Amino acid sequence: MSPNPEKRNEVLPGTLNLMVLKTLDTLGPLHGFGIARRIEQISENLLQLNQGTIYPALLHLEQMGWIRSKWGTSENNRRAKYYSITPAGRKQLAVEEEHWRRAANIMTRFLEPSEEGT
Amino acid sequence: MIWLRIFLHRLVGLFRKRALERELDEEIRAHLEMQIEENLARGMSPEEARFDALRQFGGVDQVKEVYRQRRTLHVIETIVQDLRFATRMLAKQPGFTAIAVLALALGIGVNTAILSALNGFILRPLPVEKPEELVATHWGRKMDERVWGYFSYANYVDLREQNQSFTDLCAWWQTAAGISSSDSRKAGDSERAEVVWGELVSANYFDVMGVKPILGRVFLPEEDRTPNTHAVVVLGYQLWKQRFNADLAIVGKNIYLNGQPFTVIGVMPESFLGSAFYLRQGFWVPSMMAQRFGRRADWRTDRNYPSFYLYGRLKPGVTLAQAEADLNLVADNLAKLYPDINADTKIQLSRELDSRYRNATRMIKYSGMLALCVSGLVLLLACANVANLMLARAVTRAKEIGIRLAIGASRGRIVRQLLTESVLLALMGGALGLAFAYRGADVIRATFPPVPYPISFDFTPDGYVLKWMLVISVLTGVIFGLAPALLAARTDLVAVIKGGSSGQSRGRQRWNLRGALVVAQVTISIIVLICAGLFIRSLGKVRQTDPGFATENLITMMLNLDLLAYDQETTRRFYPELQRRIEKQPGVRMAALASELPLMDSRGSRGPIVKEGEADPPPNQGTFSECSLVTPKYFDTLRIELVSGRDFTDRDNADAPFVVIVNQAFARRFYGSTENALGKRFRFSPGSPLMEIIGIAKDGYYRSLFEDHQPFMFLPVYQHSRARMTLLVSAQSAGDLKVVAESVRREISQLDARLPVVGVMMAEENLSLAYMGPRLAAGTATIFGVLALVLSMMGLYSVMTYAVSQRTHEIGIRMALGASLGDVLWLIVSQGLRMVLTGMALGLVSAFALTRLLSSLLLGVGTTDAVTFVGVAVLLITVALLACLLPARRAARVDPLVALRSE
């Protein structure tokens, strides 16, 4: 089920925060395991993620005030810590999305063949 | 603001550590279980499911560690960790800790004591509002350097009104008064008055100084407008507490100063002593009441009557230089208006702190700085000692440190942990040193001579001193701990963990460092010991110096008739009568009175001197001479030789021609030689009568033992008038002194029971003020010297002991090969002597260069005094030999077989 391990990319630093925020924004409140699995899913397992690294990232996001946490019960009646995005977090998400689109745009222009000249 | 959020978050994390740790555990466990469930659903076996979950998670402990680091203020956590570990390590070796703390306590304590003394003497600001703004004024003559602080009232008023630079200028005048509980003019009243000191002040005084009363109020402007109208008084705290029992209803009551009633209107706070930093005043009265305190009636109008000191506060934005220029403009203006008196005067301003001791301030600051430097050297010695001990300890801890490095501690972490140990040691030493400093304060106070002024110094360490001591303790910890810590963290891992004697090669390198430390210690000790030696010799020379009068069998005491508000006539009759009665007492050889005892805070001077036939010099030019007013028999009582001419007699009174006796220096200065001077006449300008020189006295010292011989005049007190005199009684033999003093006091109270007698001094006590500086210097320097010697010898001893333990193997071989006891002793001792001699050479050379800094403080001893240098060298070698011999003897007792077997 998992593709060839050598072909997986490592998580770029700083992007994990963005992925977590987007996940919470899209799916609503979720626990740590759920967020990690979702990220793996979306990337179709092209991303090499040590699931545990999500927790320091979640702590950082909580300290910055972009997400908040609350203990709740999971589907299987298990006690789990649920995270949800805050209004400040939504603002930050918009900012970082814009930043990424612009960066991707610039890189694409560089990597595409030039339309002018021979 | 984000960082503030994060900081607060982490601060909370610090305190809720355990709870948050549990939560994290639970969260991770839940995560793993959910992954395992998923895996089981996919069909894996339980073991496979668990293994796969862990693999996907990554390293649980690593994640936890990263999480922990982000969660709390990591820095504080590690500091707390380090502290706990350091405490445990130090407690494990109580011997080392005790010695180290003791050495540090001595070093830091001595510094604390000196800093407290400096603080108490000159650094502490006045306890008023914004003390740095207070400025003191001085005036001087344009033609020379000397300045005085006292102004006449008339000049004060003009300066105050005409200046543009001060928000206000206030005036104060020190005075003494007799305080009694009732109007003691009544007949039959025999209660002896107590002397209190106070100040006559202008109405704005308390506002300018910046103090508020704790009870009642201060003076109103109308209370200081017309003379002798408002008899009100503000009390000082101590007087109020001691004499009036802190009576809360004191405001409105009357107290009696010089027998006259004054109404109390307020009380000052405890911290406020008065205008002079070191004198505790008992009361303040409006300046208009000056006549009640013995001042002449024309004190207000006579522009030539120097009396008040002035303090002022500058207007905001005005610099000292600008204010000085402004006041000099006013002075020039006054010079034009009153040329006889104010011509050619200039004004100088200085901050209150700089003018505290007037001319002595610079000398006091200088000695203070020197003392601080030397105590800093002693602290360095202590640091070297403890550094030595830590180096030795680092060797024994090499294994532990190696293991910690292997587990993964960074070198920086290890260094930080070792530094924590040394700073902890230093802080403990500092705390103990504080106790030493408190004792030091008492010792300093004990050297003060019994002067009859209300001197009040506070040498106890206060906030300022404590703050500096904390800083110095931490710095000390870093200084002596850094090198050993850096060295320890460089341990070669593999070799140390394997154990064995590869510690040897490291050991040799450390030993050279320790040897260098010992050399440095010896160098510093030599310098400190030489300073001590020089001061001790100087003190000896000071005590041998003939002050110019005999103190053997001399009793002195001070009387002040102003306190009883005697008029001039009564004063004139009182002193001759007293002299007559005292001379009749058994055990009294002779008695006399003088306005001041030489070398006892004396300061009278008159002038300018105009020889007969010469014209008056222009105002504020011309030479003054120091002088003293004396009764007949003054010279005989003090056994001062009259080299020619005669003494004053009873016939030299106000109706007879004016006469004067001068000393040899005066005669030489004004007349070329002592023979020329006898019989000549001179006067003071302007307008005083001519006085004939009837006698020449032998030169002596009048202001300080350090001065060159200067001109001096003796004026007969019956031709001038004076209420405050010192009584001089020469007893017939040393055994009678106390008895004679008692009978003298009885005679005084028989003449007037209310007259207080202060400042009774006997024999050598009369020189106590003159000796105070040299005594203090010698005492402090000796303490430094002893400490330096002890600390450096401790260092030498510990290094030698270590060296012996390192060379046990070698000694065993030598003895087995036939070395004798003497050979072994010499082997060890020579090693020690090499260090000592190197240090000694360096020390002697440095001392040679550095001691010239002391030249202004030494009397009769050159800064390269051979006796001192040689003596110190001999002392040091002797003690060092002892410090080397003890370990050497232990080495010589080594059993060769045991030594050879040990590694």
Side-chain angles (χ1 to χ4, degrees):
Chain A
M1 199 70 144
S2 12
N4 197 340
E6 286 99 57
K7 288 239 178 80
R8 287 165 102 193
N9 284 17
E10 285 198 1
V11 178
L12 287 174
T15 59
L16 190 53
N17 288 346
L18 181 50
M19 288 192 258
V20 170
L21 284 176
K22 185 69 180 177
T23 309
L24 288 178
D25 188 42
T26 319
L27 294 183
L30 203 53
H31 46 61
F33 176 70
I35 299 176
R37 290 300 282 130
R38 166 75 175 177
I39 292 179
E40 282 179 351
Q41 255 175 18
I42 296 279
S43 77
E44 288 172 10
N45 283 330
L46 282 171
L47 213 52
Q48 175 189 348
L49 176 69
N50 275 342
Q51 287 175 350
T53 58
I54 206 115
Y55 288 100
L58 285 170
L59 177 65
H60 178 64
L61 289 170
E62 195 174 359
Q63 284 180 343
M64 298 295 277
W66 296 331
I67 63 178
R68 72 170 80 88
S69 66
K70 202 164 80 161
W71 281 93
T73 337
S74 76
E75 314 82 39
N76 299 11
N77 258 337
R78 178 170 291 111
R79 218 169 98 87
K81 204 175 196 188
Y82 279 82
Y83 297 89
S84 52
I85 194 168
T86 64
R90 290 215 173 83
K91 251 188 254 168
Q92 179 70 14
L93 179 59
V95 165
E96 288 208 27
E97 260 184 280
E98 177 56 36
H99 164 84
W100 267 103
R101 284 190 215 287
R102 214 180 311 150
N105 208 343
I106 295 177
M107 285 315 294
T108 316
R109 274 200 229 158
F110 268 101
L111 295 173
E112 293 271 302
S114 160
E115 288 183 342
E116 293 165 354
T118 23
Chain B
M1 288 311 279
I2 295 274
W3 63 264
L4 185 63
R5 259 197 84 102
I6 299 186
F7 178 78
L8 287 172
H9 231 276
R10 295 197 181 187
L11 194 61
V12 170
L14 192 64
F15 289 110
R16 293 192 57 221
K17 226 168 68 155
R18 236 173 287 161
L20 291 176
E21 188 75 19
R22 259 198 322 253
E23 276 189 23
L24 180 64
D25 272 342
E26 211 178 323
E27 206 177 348
I28 293 185
R29 211 172 345 114
H31 181 118
L32 289 171
E33 281 176 15
M34 287 193 250
Q35 178 70 63
I36 290 176
E37 266 179 32
E38 208 184 86
N39 286 351
L40 288 174
R42 273 202 233 125
M44 297 191 202
S45 70
E47 300 85 39
E48 278 177 356
R50 185 167 184 78
F51 183 73
D52 178 67
L54 283 169
R55 186 186 56 84
Q56 287 210 44
F57 190 89
V60 171
D61 284 310
Q62 267 101 308
V63 164
K64 275 194 183 172
E65 190 54 42
V66 174
Y67 191 94
R68 272 189 213 118
Q69 285 200 358
R70 283 205 188 164
R71 182 179 61 204
T72 73
L73 291 169
H74 198 57
V75 174
I76 294 191
E77 270 212 328
T78 49
I79 291 182
V80 169
Q81 230 178 14
D82 284 343
L83 272 174
R84 277 217 209 106
F85 190 72
T87 322
R88 255 208 330 256
M89 284 276 101
L90 291 178
K92 256 208 252 171
Q93 291 182 298
F96 159 80
T97 310
I99 295 187
V101 168
L102 188 60
L104 289 167
L106 286 174
I108 300 182
V110 123
N111 273 282
T112 312
I114 297 289
L115 196 61
S116 303
L118 279 184
N119 197 29
F121 262 121
I122 54 175
L123 293 177
R124 195 181 280 137
L126 277 183
V128 301
E129 214 178 283
K130 300 220 195 97
E132 62 280 1
E133 285 180 2
L134 274 183
V135 168
T137 44
H138 317 270
W139 74 274
R141 302 186 297 170
K142 281 197 182 156
M143 61 176 244
D144 56 27
E145 288 299 311
R146 241 186 105 176
V147 288
W148 294 270
Y150 33 81
F151 293 75
S152 63
Y153 192 77
N155 274 341
Y156 157 64
V157 168
D158 285 335
L159 279 172
R160 178 166 177 245
E161 284 169 7
Q162 295 178 25
N163 86 85
Q164 316 263 5
S165 330
F166 287 96
T167 56
D168 209 349
L169 205 57
C170 71
W172 53 276
W173 195 1
Q174 176 93 48
T175 187
I179 189 170
S180 48
S181 50
S182 59
D183 181 352
S184 28
R185 289 260 190 85
K186 294 197 205 110
D189 197 330
S190 64
E191 177 210 343
R192 186 182 281 189
E194 191 190 315
V195 178
V196 283
W197 290 80
E199 292 174 347
L200 293 156
V201 298
S202 53
N204 58 2
Y205 173 77
F206 292 105
D207 290 327
V208 173
M209 291 300 281
V211 255
K212 300 219 180 332
I214 54 173
L215 280 183
R217 62 173 176 85
V218 293
F219 302 125
L220 302 165
E222 53 266 21
E223 283 169 335
D224 194 44
R225 223 162 261 160
T226 37
N228 300 322
T229 46
H230 287 83
V232 289
V233 64
V234 173
L235 293 181
Y237 185 89
Q238 208 190 45
L239 181 67
W240 172 62
K241 187 146 168 269
Q242 285 181 352
R243 195 177 168 108
F244 302 103
N245 284 322
D247 179 5
L248 287 169
I250 190 99
V251 175
K253 292 201 181 145
N254 274 354
I255 67 169
Y256 290 84
L257 297 170
N258 287 348
Q260 297 169 53
F262 284 77
T263 314
V264 178
I265 58 163
V267 178
M268 276 292 125
E270 185 173 8
S271 58
F272 185 66
L273 297 182
S275 322
F277 173 75
Y278 50 88
L279 290 175
R280 183 186 289 280
Q281 309 296 342
F283 65 89
W284 291 268
V285 288
S287 61
M288 290 295 145
M289 303 305 295
Q291 273 180 275
R292 298 263 177 97
F293 295 90
R295 305 306 193 246
R296 303 198 312 242
D298 59 353
W299 69 271
R300 216 162 47 114
T301 49
D302 184 358
R303 201 168 277 268
N304 213 6
Y305 188 9
S307 31
F308 289 89
Y309 285 85
L310 309 182
Y311 276 165
R313 276 188 195 266
L314 293 174
K315 284 198 180 130
V318 177
T319 66
L320 206 61
Q322 289 171 332
E324 199 172 291
D326 175 37
L327 282 187
N328 271 308
L329 280 177
V330 178
D332 287 338
N333 196 26
L334 291 174
K336 288 201 206 91
L337 290 173
Y338 311 101
D340 297 337
I341 295 161
N342 281 9
D344 284 325
T345 50
K346 63 174 194 251
I347 302 242
Q348 243 181 44
L349 298 178
S350 63
R351 305 236 169 246
E352 179 271 330
L353 215 117
D354 295 324
S355 69
R356 235 169 231 186
Y357 296 97
R358 286 164 228 145
N359 297 320
T361 306
R362 228 181 27 195
M363 167 78 74
I364 293 182
K365 269 197 186 158
Y366 184 71
S367 341
M369 287 301 126
L370 273 183
L372 211 54
C373 287
V374 178
S375 67
L377 284 178
V378 173
L379 182 58
L380 276 179
L381 279 180
C383 284
N385 256 354
V386 184
N388 237 328
L389 288 172
M390 295 209 83
L391 281 173
R393 204 152 154 269
V395 171
T396 54
R397 288 178 69 179
K399 199 162 179 180
E400 164 221 333
I401 293 177
I403 293 181
R404 285 167 66 194
L405 282 171
I407 288 184
S410 68
R411 279 193 213 285
R413 189 79 168 73
I414 301 237
V415 170
R416 211 169 62 206
Q417 195 273 315
L418 288 173
L419 272 182
T420 312
E421 273 184 44
S422 30
V423 171
L424 190 61
L425 269 179
L427 285 172
M428 287 200 284
L432 186 57
L434 207 57
F436 288 166
Y438 274 96
R439 276 295 291 143
D442 296 331
V443 167
I444 294 181
R445 232 191 307 262
T447 61
F448 283 176
V451 282
Y453 306 114
I455 293 192
S456 169
F457 283 109
D458 183 9
F459 292 129
T460 50
D462 66 1
Y464 174 82
V465 173
L466 285 176
K467 191 181 62 174
W468 272 108
M469 279 308 114
L470 202 59
V471 168
I472 289 187
S473 300
V474 172
L475 271 177
T476 306
V478 171
I479 288 178
F480 74 74
L482 196 59
L486 287 173
L487 278 174
R490 272 191 357 192
T491 310
D492 186 0
L493 271 183
V494 173
V496 169
I497 292 188
K498 276 218 210 123
S501 60
S502 69
Q504 284 287 21
S505 56
R506 282 266 177 261
R508 178 120 311 191
Q509 182 191 53
R510 279 203 195 96
W511 188 85
N512 281 338
L513 179 59
R514 298 182 69 190
L517 277 175
V518 170
V519 170
Q521 283 185 309
V522 173
T523 310
I524 295 182
S525 310
I526 294 262
I527 299 179
V528 175
L529 282 169
I530 286 185
C531 288
L534 286 174
F535 277 120
I536 293 177
R537 298 243 314 154
S538 172
L539 180 63
K541 288 280 159 94
V542 161
R543 297 182 67 153
Q544 280 169 7
T545 312
D546 178 12
F549 63 99
T551 53
E552 201 188 341
N553 301 341
L554 180 70
I555 306 170
T556 62
M557 50 191 82
M558 299 196 196
L559 310 170
N560 187 352
L561 296 182
D562 272 338
L563 304 180
L564 301 178
Y566 276 14
D567 58 27
Q568 275 205 0
E569 204 29 56
T570 328
T571 307
R572 255 188 231 277
R573 280 186 281 120
F574 183 88
Y575 284 124
E577 175 66 20
L578 182 62
Q579 198 177 0
R580 253 197 308 276
R581 283 185 176 214
I582 289 181
E583 287 197 327
K584 289 208 212 96
Q585 296 297 308
V588 171
R589 182 181 70 87
M590 195 161 297
L593 291 129
S595 58
E596 51 194 38
L597 184 63
L599 298 175
M600 196 69 196
D601 192 28
S602 27
R603 13 178 157 162
S605 73
R606 305 247 176 138
I609 315 275
V610 183
K611 296 202 278 206
E612 178 171 23
E614 287 184 356
D616 286 338
N620 290 316
Q621 296 188 18
T623 343
F624 281 65
S625 167
E626 316 268 315
C627 68
S628 161
L629 292 102
V630 303
T631 62
K633 303 215 191 105
Y634 168 81
F635 297 96
D636 223 339
T637 310
L638 289 183
R639 297 193 202 267
I640 300 178
E641 187 190 334
L642 282 171
V643 292
S644 57
R646 65 167 179 90
D647 190 1
F648 299 122
T649 66
D650 289 332
R651 271 166 285 134
D652 296 312
N653 54 22
D655 306 319
F658 279 79
V659 292
V660 63
I661 297 179
V662 301
N663 71 348
Q664 294 168 305
F666 187 104
R668 279 193 297 262
R669 164 81 104 79
F670 289 94
Y671 295 96
S673 74
T674 52
E675 298 80 40
N676 283 352
L678 197 58
K680 298 285 195 305
R681 301 199 294 177
F682 66 87
R683 62 185 169 82
F684 304 129
S685 131
S688 77
L690 283 170
M691 301 178 288
E692 182 186 335
I693 301 179
I694 57 163
I696 315 265
K698 188 147 183 272
D699 282 335
Y701 293 102
Y702 310 101
R703 300 283 177 257
S704 110
L705 286 170
F706 283 68
E707 69 188 10
D708 299 319
H709 282 301
Q710 42 168 316
F712 203 85
M713 308 181 286
F714 298 92
L715 302 164
V717 71
Y718 303 136
Q719 288 182 344
H720 307 260
S721 179
R722 188 157 163 113
R724 195 161 15 133
M725 300 286 275
T726 303
L727 175 64
L728 314 159
V729 179
S730 176
Q732 274 167 352
S733 75
D736 297 331
L737 288 187
K738 284 228 167 72
V739 174
V740 171
E742 253 323 292
S743 73
V744 166
R745 290 180 91 123
R746 247 179 295 126
E747 281 306 311
I748 295 177
S749 27
Q750 276 184 6
L751 268 183
D752 191 333
R754 303 163 300 153
L755 185 61
V757 168
V758 292
V760 180
M761 292 194 283
M762 302 199 241
E764 253 220 348
E765 286 173 358
N766 290 302
L767 290 171
S768 50
L769 190 62
Y771 287 170
M772 180 174 130
R775 261 201 197 130
L776 201 55
T780 325
T782 311
I783 293 181
F784 286 159
V786 167
L787 277 179
L789 193 61
V790 165
L791 284 170
S792 51
M793 287 305 111
M794 262 170 63
L796 179 64
Y797 178 79
S798 76
V799 166
M800 292 308 301
T801 314
Y802 179 77
V804 164
S805 71
Q806 288 290 78
R807 299 176 76 170
T808 318
H809 192 67
E810 176 195 343
I811 294 174
I813 294 182
R814 284 182 193 255
M815 292 188 81
L817 288 178
S820 72
L821 184 70
D823 290 337
V824 172
L825 276 178
W826 177 245
L827 181 73
I828 301 295
V829 169
S830 68
Q831 191 180 25
L833 272 187
R834 227 177 303 139
M835 292 189 284
V836 171
L837 286 173
T838 319
M840 214 164 76
L842 284 172
L844 287 173
V845 167
S846 324
F848 212 79
L850 291 173
T851 49
R852 73 192 56 204
L853 291 171
L854 298 176
S855 60
S856 57
L857 301 171
L858 296 172
L859 186 71
V861 176
T863 55
T864 54
D865 181 48
V867 172
T868 313
F869 275 69
V870 169
V872 163
V874 167
L875 173 68
L876 194 77
I877 292 214
T878 320
V879 181
L881 265 176
L882 265 172
C884 293
L885 269 176
L886 287 170
R889 283 188 53 205
R890 213 177 299 143
R893 278 197 236 115
V894 160
D895 180 353
L897 287 174
V898 173
L900 284 170
R901 245 185 272 132
S902 87
E903 208 168 339

